[in-house]
Amino acid sequence: NFMKTIALLTGRGNNTLQDKNILDVLGHPVLYYPAHAARKCSLIDDWYCSSDDEKILSAAEKEGYKRIVRPVELASPSAQHIDCIMHALNVIEENDENPDILVVLLANNVTIKTEWITDCVEIMKKDNSVTAVVPVYEDNDHHPLRAKTINNDGTLEMYEKNSSGKVSTNRQDLPSCLFLSHNFWVLRVDYLKSGKEGQQPWGFMGDKIVPYEIDESIDIHKDVDLLIAKNWIENNYRDILF
């Protein structure tokens, strides 16, 4: 049962860290790492990049990605990612390509491996009821049962009202707390086009989301993140560097 799978690299130019998606990390722009990992995935049939920024589109084109120029109204900091994804999907379909699976790649995250993409696409191909397959990492340090908010008198109260009462101060005693990685997401196109709202805040992922556990995920938002990203690449991307 052939299922067409298309990669969509997404990144905008207007960022707090200037040109973060194309900053140099070990001789390549940041977006090279997600772009390269997806180019090497044998399950992907075609590659596109959606951006409002000429520098991003050019860098992606060098890696074999077809350009989708994002309209100005979808390039502001307040624009929703799903609107960019749907705009790109319409362009892809106008090119006579009708994907069943969309692999959305985020241009400012280098923590991505071809084998992870392959595994996640295979999970989706095996089960038609799955709406998304997403990498996640455990972070019990920032557990919701430890979180606080400010109440009306300006003092702290528990953010999550915990019915059982007591919460251990040891993170290892808490139930596993997982966060979505912002490296790539494998999405079912039928669900994207259905207009339904699934689990928040990324309602476009639907309600049957399969987790794919990885050790860590590094989004690049500040200069220090580039150092962490460089270290991760040196430890994980030996095929590119040596």
Side-chain angles (χ1 to χ4, degrees), residues 12 30 40 47 58 60 72 74 97 130 136 142 159-160 198 206 214 222 227 231 237:
R12 62 183 176 83
V30 167
K40 284 172 59 183
W47 297 264
S58 295
V72 177
L74 296 182
E97 301 213 60
V130 169
V136 295
H142 299 101
Y159 187 87
E160 281 280 319
I214 62 174
K222 338 186 257 296
L227 297 173
N231 180 259
Y237 256 126

Side-chain angles (χ1 to χ4, degrees), residues 1 24 47 56 79 87 89 103 160 176 185 206 208 224 229 231 240:
N1 179 21
D24 183 273
W47 297 264
I56 291 172
H87 169 263
L89 195 53
V103 179
E160 281 280 319
S176 180
W185 307 322
K208 192 161 181 191
V224 67
N231 180 259
I240 288 174

Side-chain angles (χ1 to χ4, degrees), residues 128-175:
N128 283 333
S129 70
V130 169
T131 51
V133 186
V134 294
V136 295
Y137 59 93
E138 187 172 40
D139 182 3
N140 276 17
D141 278 335
H142 299 101
H143 204 289
L145 292 178
R146 289 175 150 194
K148 307 284 185 184
T149 189
I150 297 174
N151 66 22
N152 294 335
D153 70 1
T155 61
L156 292 177
E157 65 177 13
M158 298 297 292
Y159 187 87
E160 281 280 319
K161 306 296 177 274
N162 178 29
S163 53
S164 62
K166 207 145 170 56
V167 177
S168 173
T169 55
N170 294 338
R171 63 182 182 181
Q172 56 269 32
D173 295 338
L174 299 169

Side-chain angles (χ1 to χ4, degrees), residues 2-13:
F2 174 71
M3 296 180 82
K4 187 161 208 173
T5 303
I6 284 184
L8 174 67
L9 179 68
T10 63
R12 62 183 176 83

Side-chain angles (χ1 to χ4, degrees), residues 108-111 180-183 217-222 225:
N108 69 321
N109 190 312
V110 304
T111 41
L180 245 70
S181 301
H182 290 268
N183 51 359
S217 177
I218 304 151
D219 298 351
I220 291 170
H221 296 300
K222 338 186 257 296
D225 300 330

